[in-house]
Amino acid sequence: MGGSHSVFTEQELDDYQTLTYLTKKEILHIHRRFVSLTESAKKGTIPAKNPKIPFANVLELPELKVNPFKDQIVKVFSSSGDGYMTFEDFLDMMSVFSENAPKAVKVEYAFRIYDFDGDDMISSSDLKEVVTRMIGEENTLDEEKMQQLIDNILEEGDLDDDEALSFAEFEHVISKAPDFVSSFRIRL
């Protein structure tokens, strides 16, 4: 299979393919992108076998640079919580954002991204942060309109009236958004 596979054994590539929604070709492409973000690559040296890259480097990806949730995305996909991503973290992120990832997986990660305080519920404060990021800092709503929007979202989705969206409630709300899957994607 040639030199392009020398980074991974056939078994490693098979394992990555089994554990993701990606083809071997996509995995190799993602690895090249990951390596290009390492400090070593930026200095023109060969990166370590299993490099970690700082979030700031990942945020340089054009696809993330313009995303209002970019910091949350890298945080959710980082397994270490130390401000760095491994290749496996990066691969997981790219797999979930791929066209082949099922809607259920995308919904699960969207929930985690929108759950800013990490309490497994999307509360009013989480919704306020989501809305603020979506409309942009410069286009903020006044408090009354913001609260009205949050109340409308909760009225529609909060089925148990606990003033927050559980995962099941969030999933129900997303099921009504036909363009969710196509918007929750990064082209490889």
Side-chain angles (χ1 to χ4, degrees):
M1 287 235 183
S4 67
H5 286 227
S6 62
V7 160
F8 302 114
T9 66
E10 275 303 315
Q11 185 59 52
E12 287 171 324
L13 261 181
D14 287 343
D15 290 347
Y16 283 141
Q17 187 173 19
T18 300
L19 296 169
T20 65
Y21 304 102
L22 303 165
T23 65
K24 290 178 182 178
K25 183 178 178 182
E26 290 170 328
I27 292 164
L28 291 170
H29 175 73
I30 289 167
H31 185 263
R32 283 190 297 278
R33 288 193 77 187
F34 177 79
V35 169
S36 74
L37 297 171
T38 64
E39 294 299 320
S40 300
K42 292 178 180 300
K43 294 175 187 171
T45 60
I46 298 172
K49 169 96 171 112
N50 296 311
K52 291 172 98 175
I53 56 176
F55 287 176
N57 292 20
V58 179
L59 296 175
E60 291 175 15
L61 286 172
E63 300 88 345
L64 287 179
K65 202 177 262 193
V66 296
N67 190 308
F69 301 98
K70 60 186 170 257
D71 58 319
Q72 271 297 101
I73 291 169
V74 293
K75 181 178 156 191
V76 163
F77 283 96
S78 174
S79 59
S80 62
D82 63 357
Y84 288 85
M85 287 187 102
T86 64
F87 172 66
E88 285 78 14
D89 296 337
F90 190 76
L91 188 64
D92 286 344
M93 178 179 74
M94 297 304 268
S95 177
V96 169
F97 281 100
S98 74
E99 290 181 23
N100 295 326
K103 182 177 182 178
V105 171
K106 291 179 179 287
V107 170
E108 177 187 338
Y109 278 92
F111 180 83
R112 292 172 60 190
I113 290 165
Y114 295 160
D115 179 16
F116 286 89
D117 58 13
D119 66 354
D120 292 327
M121 298 291 281
I122 297 180
S123 64
S124 292
S125 64
D126 293 323
L127 288 171
K128 183 176 182 178
E129 184 66 26
V130 168
V131 170
T132 300
R133 287 178 182 226
M134 288 179 113
I135 63 173
E137 295 288 333
E138 63 280 348
N139 297 324
T140 57
L141 298 173
D142 64 48
E143 280 301 313
E144 186 178 318
K145 286 182 180 166
M146 176 67 80
Q147 192 56 54
Q148 183 180 1
L149 181 56
I150 291 168
D151 291 345
N152 289 346
I153 294 167
L154 290 173
E155 184 177 321
E156 178 73 26
D158 182 18
L159 303 176
D160 60 4
D161 293 325
D162 65 351
E163 298 298 312
L165 299 178
S166 66
F167 176 72
E169 291 167 331
F170 178 78
E171 194 172 31
H172 178 72
V173 169
I174 291 295
S175 72
K176 297 177 182 182
D179 60 341
F180 169 74
V181 171
S182 62
S183 64
F184 202 80
R185 180 175 86 205
I186 293 177
R187 291 189 192 274
L188 298 176

mmCIF file with all atom_site columns, all heavy atoms in Angstrom, residues 128 130-143 145-146 149:
data_model
loop_
_atom_site.group_PDB
_atom_site.id
_atom_site.type_symbol
_atom_site.label_atom_id
_atom_site.label_alt_id
_atom_site.label_comp_id
_atom_site.label_asym_id
_atom_site.label_entity_id
_atom_site.label_seq_id
_atom_site.pdbx_PDB_ins_code
_atom_site.Cartn_x
_atom_site.Cartn_y
_atom_site.Cartn_z
_atom_site.occupancy
_atom_site.B_iso_or_equiv
_atom_site.pdbx_formal_charge
_atom_site.auth_seq_id
_atom_site.auth_comp_id
_atom_site.auth_asym_id
_atom_site.auth_atom_id
_atom_site.pdbx_PDB_model_num
ATOM 1   N N   . LYS A 1 128 ? -28.928 30.974 27.006 1.00 0.00 ? 128 LYS A N   1
ATOM 2   C CA  . LYS A 1 128 ? -28.539 32.369 26.805 1.00 0.00 ? 128 LYS A CA  1
ATOM 3   C C   . LYS A 1 128 ? -27.175 32.432 26.102 1.00 0.00 ? 128 LYS A C   1
ATOM 4   O O   . LYS A 1 128 ? -26.980 33.223 25.184 1.00 0.00 ? 128 LYS A O   1
ATOM 5   C CB  . LYS A 1 128 ? -28.488 33.108 28.140 1.00 0.00 ? 128 LYS A CB  1
ATOM 6   C CG  . LYS A 1 128 ? -28.172 34.569 28.002 1.00 0.00 ? 128 LYS A CG  1
ATOM 7   C CD  . LYS A 1 128 ? -28.228 35.298 29.333 1.00 0.00 ? 128 LYS A CD  1
ATOM 8   C CE  . LYS A 1 128 ? -27.957 36.770 29.125 1.00 0.00 ? 128 LYS A CE  1
ATOM 9   N NZ  . LYS A 1 128 ? -28.044 37.525 30.378 1.00 0.00 ? 128 LYS A NZ  1
ATOM 10  N N   . VAL A 1 130 ? -25.861 30.060 24.191 1.00 0.00 ? 130 VAL A N   1
ATOM 11  C CA  . VAL A 1 130 ? -26.048 29.562 22.824 1.00 0.00 ? 130 VAL A CA  1
ATOM 12  C C   . VAL A 1 130 ? -26.590 30.681 21.929 1.00 0.00 ? 130 VAL A C   1
ATOM 13  O O   . VAL A 1 130 ? -26.057 30.937 20.846 1.00 0.00 ? 130 VAL A O   1
ATOM 14  C CB  . VAL A 1 130 ? -26.999 28.335 22.795 1.00 0.00 ? 130 VAL A CB  1
ATOM 15  C CG1 . VAL A 1 130 ? -27.424 27.998 21.371 1.00 0.00 ? 130 VAL A CG1 1
ATOM 16  C CG2 . VAL A 1 130 ? -26.337 27.130 23.446 1.00 0.00 ? 130 VAL A CG2 1
ATOM 17  N N   . VAL A 1 131 ? -27.634 31.344 22.382 1.00 0.00 ? 131 VAL A N   1
ATOM 18  C CA  . VAL A 1 131 ? -28.255 32.408 21.580 1.00 0.00 ? 131 VAL A CA  1
ATOM 19  C C   . VAL A 1 131 ? -27.265 33.548 21.351 1.00 0.00 ? 131 VAL A C   1
ATOM 20  O O   . VAL A 1 131 ? -27.116 34.041 20.228 1.00 0.00 ? 131 VAL A O   1
ATOM 21  C CB  . VAL A 1 131 ? -29.551 32.916 22.256 1.00 0.00 ? 131 VAL A CB  1
ATOM 22  C CG1 . VAL A 1 131 ? -30.072 34.174 21.563 1.00 0.00 ? 131 VAL A CG1 1
ATOM 23  C CG2 . VAL A 1 131 ? -30.613 31.824 22.255 1.00 0.00 ? 131 VAL A CG2 1
ATOM 24  N N   . THR A 1 132 ? -26.565 33.957 22.397 1.00 0.00 ? 132 THR A N   1
ATOM 25  C CA  . THR A 1 132 ? -25.597 35.049 22.277 1.00 0.00 ? 132 THR A CA  1
ATOM 26  C C   . THR A 1 132 ? -24.525 34.713 21.251 1.00 0.00 ? 132 THR A C   1
ATOM 27  O O   . THR A 1 132 ? -24.162 35.543 20.416 1.00 0.00 ? 132 THR A O   1
ATOM 28  C CB  . THR A 1 132 ? -24.955 35.354 23.653 1.00 0.00 ? 132 THR A CB  1
ATOM 29  O OG1 . THR A 1 132 ? -25.989 35.734 24.560 1.00 0.00 ? 132 THR A OG1 1
ATOM 30  C CG2 . THR A 1 132 ? -23.928 36.460 23.548 1.00 0.00 ? 132 THR A CG2 1
ATOM 31  N N   . ARG A 1 133 ? -24.032 33.488 21.293 1.00 0.00 ? 133 ARG A N   1
ATOM 32  C CA  . ARG A 1 133 ? -23.003 33.082 20.330 1.00 0.00 ? 133 ARG A CA  1
ATOM 33  C C   . ARG A 1 133 ? -23.561 32.990 18.912 1.00 0.00 ? 133 ARG A C   1
ATOM 34  O O   . ARG A 1 133 ? -22.872 33.311 17.958 1.00 0.00 ? 133 ARG A O   1
ATOM 35  C CB  . ARG A 1 133 ? -22.383 31.755 20.741 1.00 0.00 ? 133 ARG A CB  1
ATOM 36  C CG  . ARG A 1 133 ? -21.463 31.890 21.936 1.00 0.00 ? 133 ARG A CG  1
ATOM 37  C CD  . ARG A 1 133 ? -20.908 30.546 22.339 1.00 0.00 ? 133 ARG A CD  1
ATOM 38  N NE  . ARG A 1 133 ? -20.053 30.647 23.502 1.00 0.00 ? 133 ARG A NE  1
ATOM 39  C CZ  . ARG A 1 133 ? -18.866 30.069 23.604 1.00 0.00 ? 133 ARG A CZ  1
ATOM 40  N NH1 . ARG A 1 133 ? -18.390 29.345 22.612 1.00 0.00 ? 133 ARG A NH1 1
ATOM 41  N NH2 . ARG A 1 133 ? -18.162 30.191 24.706 1.00 0.00 ? 133 ARG A NH2 1
ATOM 42  N N   . MET A 1 134 ? -24.795 32.546 18.792 1.00 0.00 ? 134 MET A N   1
ATOM 43  C CA  . MET A 1 134 ? -25.370 32.383 17.453 1.00 0.00 ? 134 MET A CA  1
ATOM 44  C C   . MET A 1 134 ? -25.667 33.729 16.786 1.00 0.00 ? 134 MET A C   1
ATOM 45  O O   . MET A 1 134 ? -25.482 33.863 15.578 1.00 0.00 ? 134 MET A O   1
ATOM 46  C CB  . MET A 1 134 ? -26.637 31.533 17.508 1.00 0.00 ? 134 MET A CB  1
ATOM 47  C CG  . MET A 1 134 ? -26.334 30.079 17.778 1.00 0.00 ? 134 MET A CG  1
ATOM 48  S SD  . MET A 1 134 ? -27.823 29.109 17.854 1.00 0.00 ? 134 MET A SD  1
ATOM 49  C CE  . MET A 1 134 ? -27.616 28.099 16.410 1.00 0.00 ? 134 MET A CE  1
ATOM 50  N N   . ILE A 1 135 ? -26.109 34.700 17.555 1.00 0.00 ? 135 ILE A N   1
ATOM 51  C CA  . ILE A 1 135 ? -26.426 35.993 16.936 1.00 0.00 ? 135 ILE A CA  1
ATOM 52  C C   . ILE A 1 135 ? -25.222 36.922 16.911 1.00 0.00 ? 135 ILE A C   1
ATOM 53  O O   . ILE A 1 135 ? -25.226 37.912 16.196 1.00 0.00 ? 135 ILE A O   1
ATOM 54  C CB  . ILE A 1 135 ? -27.627 36.688 17.622 1.00 0.00 ? 135 ILE A CB  1
ATOM 55  C CG1 . ILE A 1 135 ? -27.321 37.028 19.082 1.00 0.00 ? 135 ILE A CG1 1
ATOM 56  C CG2 . ILE A 1 135 ? -28.871 35.852 17.497 1.00 0.00 ? 135 ILE A CG2 1
ATOM 57  C CD1 . ILE A 1 135 ? -28.401 37.863 19.741 1.00 0.00 ? 135 ILE A CD1 1
ATOM 58  N N   . GLY A 1 136 ? -24.190 36.592 17.672 1.00 0.00 ? 136 GLY A N   1
ATOM 59  C CA  . GLY A 1 136 ? -22.980 37.404 17.685 1.00 0.00 ? 136 GLY A CA  1
ATOM 60  C C   . GLY A 1 136 ? -23.006 38.430 18.795 1.00 0.00 ? 136 GLY A C   1
ATOM 61  O O   . GLY A 1 136 ? -24.065 38.950 19.153 1.00 0.00 ? 136 GLY A O   1
ATOM 62  N N   . GLU A 1 137 ? -21.848 38.703 19.336 1.00 0.00 ? 137 GLU A N   1
ATOM 63  C CA  . GLU A 1 137 ? -21.718 39.647 20.447 1.00 0.00 ? 137 GLU A CA  1
ATOM 64  C C   . GLU A 1 137 ? -22.260 41.032 20.100 1.00 0.00 ? 137 GLU A C   1
ATOM 65  O O   . GLU A 1 137 ? -22.843 41.712 20.940 1.00 0.00 ? 137 GLU A O   1
ATOM 66  C CB  . GLU A 1 137 ? -20.245 39.763 20.872 1.00 0.00 ? 137 GLU A CB  1
ATOM 67  C CG  . GLU A 1 137 ? -19.659 38.486 21.453 1.00 0.00 ? 137 GLU A CG  1
ATOM 68  C CD  . GLU A 1 137 ? -20.176 38.168 22.834 1.00 0.00 ? 137 GLU A CD  1
ATOM 69  O OE1 . GLU A 1 137 ? -20.566 39.098 23.562 1.00 0.00 ? 137 GLU A OE1 1
ATOM 70  O OE2 . GLU A 1 137 ? -20.189 36.980 23.198 1.00 0.00 ? 137 GLU A OE2 1
ATOM 71  N N   . GLU A 1 138 ? -22.062 41.460 18.854 1.00 0.00 ? 138 GLU A N   1
ATOM 72  C CA  . GLU A 1 138 ? -22.465 42.809 18.468 1.00 0.00 ? 138 GLU A CA  1
ATOM 73  C C   . GLU A 1 138 ? -23.966 42.936 18.237 1.00 0.00 ? 138 GLU A C   1
ATOM 74  O O   . GLU A 1 138 ? -24.503 44.028 18.191 1.00 0.00 ? 138 GLU A O   1
ATOM 75  C CB  . GLU A 1 138 ? -21.692 43.277 17.223 1.00 0.00 ? 138 GLU A CB  1
ATOM 76  C CG  . GLU A 1 138 ? -21.937 42.464 15.966 1.00 0.00 ? 138 GLU A CG  1
ATOM 77  C CD  . GLU A 1 138 ? -21.168 41.158 15.880 1.00 0.00 ? 138 GLU A CD  1
ATOM 78  O OE1 . GLU A 1 138 ? -20.243 40.934 16.690 1.00 0.00 ? 138 GLU A OE1 1
ATOM 79  O OE2 . GLU A 1 138 ? -21.496 40.338 15.011 1.00 0.00 ? 138 GLU A OE2 1
ATOM 80  N N   . ASN A 1 139 ? -24.674 41.825 18.095 1.00 0.00 ? 139 ASN A N   1
ATOM 81  C CA  . ASN A 1 139 ? -26.121 41.848 17.848 1.00 0.00 ? 139 ASN A CA  1
ATOM 82  C C   . ASN A 1 139 ? -26.914 41.336 19.045 1.00 0.00 ? 139 ASN A C   1
ATOM 83  O O   . ASN A 1 139 ? -27.886 40.622 18.879 1.00 0.00 ? 139 ASN A O   1
ATOM 84  C CB  . ASN A 1 139 ? -26.456 40.991 16.615 1.00 0.00 ? 139 ASN A CB  1
ATOM 85  C CG  . ASN A 1 139 ? -25.838 41.522 15.362 1.00 0.00 ? 139 ASN A CG  1
ATOM 86  O OD1 . ASN A 1 139 ? -25.741 42.722 15.173 1.00 0.00 ? 139 ASN A OD1 1
ATOM 87  N ND2 . ASN A 1 139 ? -25.398 40.637 14.492 1.00 0.00 ? 139 ASN A ND2 1
ATOM 88  N N   . THR A 1 140 ? -26.490 41.672 20.215 1.00 0.00 ? 140 THR A N   1
ATOM 89  C CA  . THR A 1 140 ? -27.144 41.131 21.416 1.00 0.00 ? 140 THR A CA  1
ATOM 90  C C   . THR A 1 140 ? -28.592 41.610 21.528 1.00 0.00 ? 140 THR A C   1
ATOM 91  O O   . THR A 1 140 ? -28.942 42.709 21.098 1.00 0.00 ? 140 THR A O   1
ATOM 92  C CB  . THR A 1 140 ? -26.379 41.527 22.700 1.00 0.00 ? 140 THR A CB  1
ATOM 93  O OG1 . THR A 1 140 ? -26.291 42.941 22.758 1.00 0.00 ? 140 THR A OG1 1
ATOM 94  C CG2 . THR A 1 140 ? -25.016 40.898 22.743 1.00 0.00 ? 140 THR A CG2 1
ATOM 95  N N   . LEU A 1 141 ? -29.406 40.771 22.100 1.00 0.00 ? 141 LEU A N   1
ATOM 96  C CA  . LEU A 1 141 ? -30.800 41.104 22.372 1.00 0.00 ? 141 LEU A CA  1
ATOM 97  C C   . LEU A 1 141 ? -30.871 41.788 23.728 1.00 0.00 ? 141 LEU A C   1
ATOM 98  O O   . LEU A 1 141 ? -30.071 41.499 24.618 1.00 0.00 ? 141 LEU A O   1
ATOM 99  C CB  . LEU A 1 141 ? -31.645 39.825 22.431 1.00 0.00 ? 141 LEU A CB  1
ATOM 100 C CG  . LEU A 1 141 ? -31.734 38.970 21.180 1.00 0.00 ? 141 LEU A CG  1
ATOM 101 C CD1 . LEU A 1 141 ? -32.455 37.669 21.483 1.00 0.00 ? 141 LEU A CD1 1
ATOM 102 C CD2 . LEU A 1 141 ? -32.466 39.716 20.080 1.00 0.00 ? 141 LEU A CD2 1
ATOM 103 N N   . ASP A 1 142 ? -31.881 42.645 23.890 1.00 0.00 ? 142 ASP A N   1
ATOM 104 C CA  . ASP A 1 142 ? -32.046 43.195 25.234 1.00 0.00 ? 142 ASP A CA  1
ATOM 105 C C   . ASP A 1 142 ? -32.540 42.063 26.139 1.00 0.00 ? 142 ASP A C   1
ATOM 106 O O   . ASP A 1 142 ? -33.009 41.027 25.674 1.00 0.00 ? 142 ASP A O   1
ATOM 107 C CB  . ASP A 1 142 ? -32.976 44.420 25.229 1.00 0.00 ? 142 ASP A CB  1
ATOM 108 C CG  . ASP A 1 142 ? -34.404 44.098 24.815 1.00 0.00 ? 142 ASP A CG  1
ATOM 109 O OD1 . ASP A 1 142 ? -34.988 43.128 25.336 1.00 0.00 ? 142 ASP A OD1 1
ATOM 110 O OD2 . ASP A 1 142 ? -34.942 44.835 23.966 1.00 0.00 ? 142 ASP A OD2 1
ATOM 111 N N   . GLU A 1 143 ? -32.427 42.278 27.438 1.00 0.00 ? 143 GLU A N   1
ATOM 112 C CA  . GLU A 1 143 ? -32.738 41.210 28.405 1.00 0.00 ? 143 GLU A CA  1
ATOM 113 C C   . GLU A 1 143 ? -34.152 40.664 28.240 1.00 0.00 ? 143 GLU A C   1
ATOM 114 O O   . GLU A 1 143 ? -34.372 39.464 28.345 1.00 0.00 ? 143 GLU A O   1
ATOM 115 C CB  . GLU A 1 143 ? -32.525 41.721 29.844 1.00 0.00 ? 143 GLU A CB  1
ATOM 116 C CG  . GLU A 1 143 ? -31.084 41.717 30.289 1.00 0.00 ? 143 GLU A CG  1
ATOM 117 C CD  . GLU A 1 143 ? -30.437 40.332 30.251 1.00 0.00 ? 143 GLU A CD  1
ATOM 118 O OE1 . GLU A 1 143 ? -31.034 39.341 30.726 1.00 0.00 ? 143 GLU A OE1 1
ATOM 119 O OE2 . GLU A 1 143 ? -29.316 40.236 29.723 1.00 0.00 ? 143 GLU A OE2 1
ATOM 120 N N   . LYS A 1 145 ? -36.114 40.572 25.508 1.00 0.00 ? 145 LYS A N   1
ATOM 121 C CA  . LYS A 1 145 ? -36.237 39.740 24.302 1.00 0.00 ? 145 LYS A CA  1
ATOM 122 C C   . LYS A 1 145 ? -35.470 38.432 24.462 1.00 0.00 ? 145 LYS A C   1
ATOM 123 O O   . LYS A 1 145 ? -35.923 37.384 23.994 1.00 0.00 ? 145 LYS A O   1
ATOM 124 C CB  . LYS A 1 145 ? -35.750 40.506 23.076 1.00 0.00 ? 145 LYS A CB  1
ATOM 125 C CG  . LYS A 1 145 ? -36.718 41.570 22.639 1.00 0.00 ? 145 LYS A CG  1
ATOM 126 C CD  . LYS A 1 145 ? -36.252 42.283 21.404 1.00 0.00 ? 145 LYS A CD  1
ATOM 127 C CE  . LYS A 1 145 ? -37.283 43.333 21.016 1.00 0.00 ? 145 LYS A CE  1
ATOM 128 N NZ  . LYS A 1 145 ? -36.800 44.274 20.051 1.00 0.00 ? 145 LYS A NZ  1
ATOM 129 N N   . MET A 1 146 ? -34.310 38.492 25.109 1.00 0.00 ? 146 MET A N   1
ATOM 130 C CA  . MET A 1 146 ? -33.528 37.271 25.356 1.00 0.00 ? 146 MET A CA  1
ATOM 131 C C   . MET A 1 146 ? -34.331 36.309 26.223 1.00 0.00 ? 146 MET A C   1
ATOM 132 O O   . MET A 1 146 ? -34.437 35.124 25.926 1.00 0.00 ? 146 MET A O   1
ATOM 133 C CB  . MET A 1 146 ? -32.193 37.614 26.020 1.00 0.00 ? 146 MET A CB  1
ATOM 134 C CG  . MET A 1 146 ? -31.359 36.396 26.402 1.00 0.00 ? 146 MET A CG  1
ATOM 135 S SD  . MET A 1 146 ? -30.743 35.439 25.007 1.00 0.00 ? 146 MET A SD  1
ATOM 136 C CE  . MET A 1 146 ? -29.344 36.428 24.528 1.00 0.00 ? 146 MET A CE  1
ATOM 137 N N   . LEU A 1 149 ? -37.154 34.721 24.296 1.00 0.00 ? 149 LEU A N   1
ATOM 138 C CA  . LEU A 1 149 ? -36.664 33.663 23.412 1.00 0.00 ? 149 LEU A CA  1
ATOM 139 C C   . LEU A 1 149 ? -36.360 32.391 24.197 1.00 0.00 ? 149 LEU A C   1
ATOM 140 O O   . LEU A 1 149 ? -36.759 31.292 23.800 1.00 0.00 ? 149 LEU A O   1
ATOM 141 C CB  . LEU A 1 149 ? -35.423 34.147 22.655 1.00 0.00 ? 149 LEU A CB  1
ATOM 142 C CG  . LEU A 1 149 ? -34.798 33.169 21.669 1.00 0.00 ? 149 LEU A CG  1
ATOM 143 C CD1 . LEU A 1 149 ? -35.807 32.700 20.621 1.00 0.00 ? 149 LEU A CD1 1
ATOM 144 C CD2 . LEU A 1 149 ? -33.598 33.818 20.991 1.00 0.00 ? 149 LEU A CD2 1
#
